[in-house]
Amino acid sequence: MQTFFQTLTTGLSDGAIFGSLALALVLIYKATEVINFAQGEMAMFTTYIAWALMGHGSTFHWWAFFATLGIAFGGGALLQQTVIRPLERASVLTAVMATIALLVILNGLAAWIWSPQLQFFPSPFPTSSWVVGGVHISKQDVGTFGVVMACVLVLWLFFRFTKLGLAMRAGALNPDAARLMGVRTSWLLALGWGFAAALGAVSGMMVAPTVFLTPNMMQAILIYAFAAAVLGGLESPVGAVVGGLGLGVLLNMLGQYVHPVTSELRLPVALGLLLVVLLIRPAGLFGRVVVRRV
Amino acid sequence: MGALLELSDVRARYGQVAALHGVSLTVEEGEVVSLLGANGAGKTTTLRSVSGTVRRTGDVVLAGKRLGRASPEAVARAGVAHVPEGRGIFAELTVWENLRMGAYTVRRPDFASVQSYFPWLQDRRNQQAGTLSGGEQQMLALARAFLSRPRLLMLDEPSLGLAPLVTREVFRVVSELNQKEGVAVLVVEQNAAVALAAAQRGYVLETGEIVLSGTADELKSNDAVRSAYLGY
Ligand SMILES: Nc1ncnc2c1ncn2[C@@H]1O[C@H](COP(=O)(O)OP(=O)(O)OP(=O)(O)O)[C@@H](O)[C@H]1O
Ligand SMILES: [Mg+2]
């Protein structure tokens, strides 16, 4: 029983990371139908910036955390305006290719600026545990989960209760109609990229203490995030977060209780599962089936 | 004091297909003008050339200011509310959210007076807009457009798909908004009888050109209009 709860908390903490990156993917996908393959590298790159701000990773500073969110936000918005916006009239595939180019560029740039070596990234949370009824609950896990979920909550409040958030939702649903109401959709798309980049930065800074900082740090995580987003239906922000949490828990449970599932098998198992779900429910767990007229 | 809206020699094309071959028309402050014409005559394109949703040449002047290459959002902010063909409702959002979108550019929206023109909306606030009936959606589109405090309201076939009684109700509200709030209206219609009843003046568009214009009464008694659009 103790192992079960420990595995559960670690699973939720991993899952929060997958879920927040998945949410970032969904935000951009809903607004523009573009799958942003650079989402993981954007997160990695901003995590390096945080690392640099924290005196090359000597101690964690919350001010650096928030400064990084701001930088990520600005960088995401800037990328949208300079790279994605000019491709607005091209096909979606062109924009997707552009994000793949960004992936490669950011990866190379990070290795060039900061070297490809493993770096230590400090954690804001102590490595100790709370012991509740014989169960060891890692403060690191709880902290990670808490920070990520707090960010998701803030974002949800923004979309649900502010005029700007409403306009972003309306613009995603029907951009032409939104423009007729005076909505400057192009700016709102930049804002959306900014939010997605900031969310990615959160996941990057939260995962870096456990996986070490390298230019390739986010690549496997991005695949888990894709899986989570698709599981959730790709259109559903709630689905992305739930998908991420579910995937995190599941992977940790499999690793704990099913013996052949070693760390090498985690990714194949996750994607195998994704295939099974999609074969049964093509629209994902939270998605709507899109009926196309032929 | 010039006209509120003035189009001169407006041309627009979709790829190789020319849709407007030099349309000129005016709408005065506080006036209701209807634009009649058969399918494909270019009525929708005329409205779109004002709201900046189609590329055009020629001049569009709103309250003395040339609109030039203004984007749809800029034209909306300049005081034009365009209710497009198909109404442009955000079907997945609630009625209340749709109304708030209408008021997007307004600092202190007047939800109270919308309430008085559309009292039934209150009970439907939280209904998903896509689940409203066609007539209710048209009313919602009107209410939403009105919330943006437009100087000019452009309606594209508000009667489309509505029963005669509902159509009459829509036009009653349009007339009321025009008379009490002084909003000028440019309305595109296939249903010439209703449109001419509500309008002071009208234009007839045929394959991208204005072929006839006059007061509503003149048009109603014009033989060509009677046989083509009024059916008697
Ligand atoms: N998106 C488009 N692409 C190509 N051609 C178009 C497009 N929209 C309109 N057209 C063409 O432009 C011309 C004018 O169309 P428009 O929609 O303005 O007519 P309309 O008077 O509004 O007709 P209706 O009463 O059927 O709505 C038509 O010949 C139409 O085929
Ligand atoms: Mg039309």
Side-chain angles (χ1 to χ4, degrees), chain A residues 31-32 80-81 88 168 184-194:
Chain A
T32 53
Q80 192 276 339
Q81 287 288 306
E88 238 166 30
M168 287 175 75
R184 296 184 175 113
T185 43
S186 171
W187 280 110
L188 294 196
L189 290 181
L191 214 60
W193 271 71

Side-chain angles (χ1 to χ4, degrees), chain B residues 39-40 42-45 85 156-157 188 190:
Chain B
N39 289 117
K43 307 181 296 294
T44 296
T45 308
E85 217 167 15
D156 198 339
E157 299 205 37
V188 159
Q190 302 257 1

Side-chain angles (χ1 to χ4, degrees), chain B residues 171-185:
Chain B
F171 272 90
R172 188 189 63 73
V173 176
V174 170
S175 298
E176 204 174 68
L177 291 179
N178 167 254
Q179 279 154 22
K180 293 200 188 148
E181 310 285 338
V183 184
V185 182

Side-chain angles (χ1 to χ4, degrees), chain A residues 85-274:
Chain A
R85 186 181 174 190
L87 300 177
E88 238 166 30
R89 302 220 173 138
S91 76
V92 167
L93 203 59
T94 310
V96 171
M97 270 313 297
T99 71
I100 293 177
L102 279 177
L103 180 166
V104 175
I105 292 168
L106 287 174
N107 187 281
L109 213 56
W112 179 65
I113 299 175
W114 292 293
S115 99
Q117 278 167 17
L118 285 185
Q119 306 283 1
F120 173 77
F121 192 93
S123 168
F125 311 111
T127 46
S128 54
S129 300
W130 288 299
V131 184
V132 187
V135 181
H136 289 260
I137 296 173
S138 139
K139 292 182 182 170
Q140 180 97 38
D141 285 348
V142 174
T144 299
F145 182 82
V147 167
V148 173
M149 286 301 148
C151 294
V152 170
L153 184 70
V154 166
L155 212 57
W156 180 80
L157 290 172
F158 170 81
F159 277 105
R160 184 77 183 74
F161 291 109
T162 68
K163 187 160 142 178
L164 211 55
L166 172 65
M168 287 175 75
R169 284 188 288 143
L173 292 169
N174 188 344
D176 295 337
R179 295 183 77 183
L180 290 179
M181 326 260 88
V183 176
R184 296 184 175 113
T185 43
S186 171
W187 280 110
L188 294 196
L189 290 181
L191 214 60
W193 271 71
F195 282 129
L199 206 54
V202 172
S203 64
M205 288 186 280
M206 289 294 115
V207 82
T210 50
V211 300
F212 291 107
L213 183 56
T214 70
N216 296 339
M217 161 181 92
M218 294 304 281
Q219 285 173 1
I221 297 171
L222 182 68
I223 294 180
Y224 289 127
F226 274 138
V230 173
L231 276 178
L234 213 47
E235 291 261 4
S236 160
V238 177
V241 175
V242 174
L245 292 175
L247 196 63
V249 170
L250 193 85
L251 287 175
N252 279 280
M253 291 290 174
L254 287 175
Q256 184 63 238
Y257 292 107
V258 182
H259 274 298
V261 184
T262 54
S263 59
E264 295 81 48
L265 273 181
R266 281 181 70 166
L267 210 50
V269 166
L271 292 189
L273 211 99
L274 175 69

Side-chain angles (χ1 to χ4, degrees), chain A residues 89 160-164 166-167 169-171 173-186 188 288, chain B residues 51 53 71-73 76-77 80-82 84 88-90 92-93 97-98 100-107 144:
Chain A
R89 302 220 173 138
R160 184 77 183 74
F161 291 109
T162 68
K163 187 160 142 178
L164 211 55
L166 172 65
R169 284 188 288 143
L173 292 169
N174 188 344
D176 295 337
R179 295 183 77 183
L180 290 179
M181 326 260 88
V183 176
R184 296 184 175 113
T185 43
S186 171
L188 294 196
R288 294 167 304 164
Chain B
S51 65
T53 44
S71 63
E73 51 269 37
R77 283 162 189 266
V80 176
H82 180 182
I89 290 289
F90 300 109
E92 292 90 340
L93 300 184
E97 286 171 330
N98 268 277
R100 277 171 63 207
M101 282 309 296
Y104 181 71
T105 56
V106 180
R107 193 160 304 150
R144 190 177 65 171

Side-chain angles (χ1 to χ4, degrees), chain B residues 9 52 134 180 192 196 199:
Chain B
D9 197 29
K180 293 200 188 148
L196 287 177

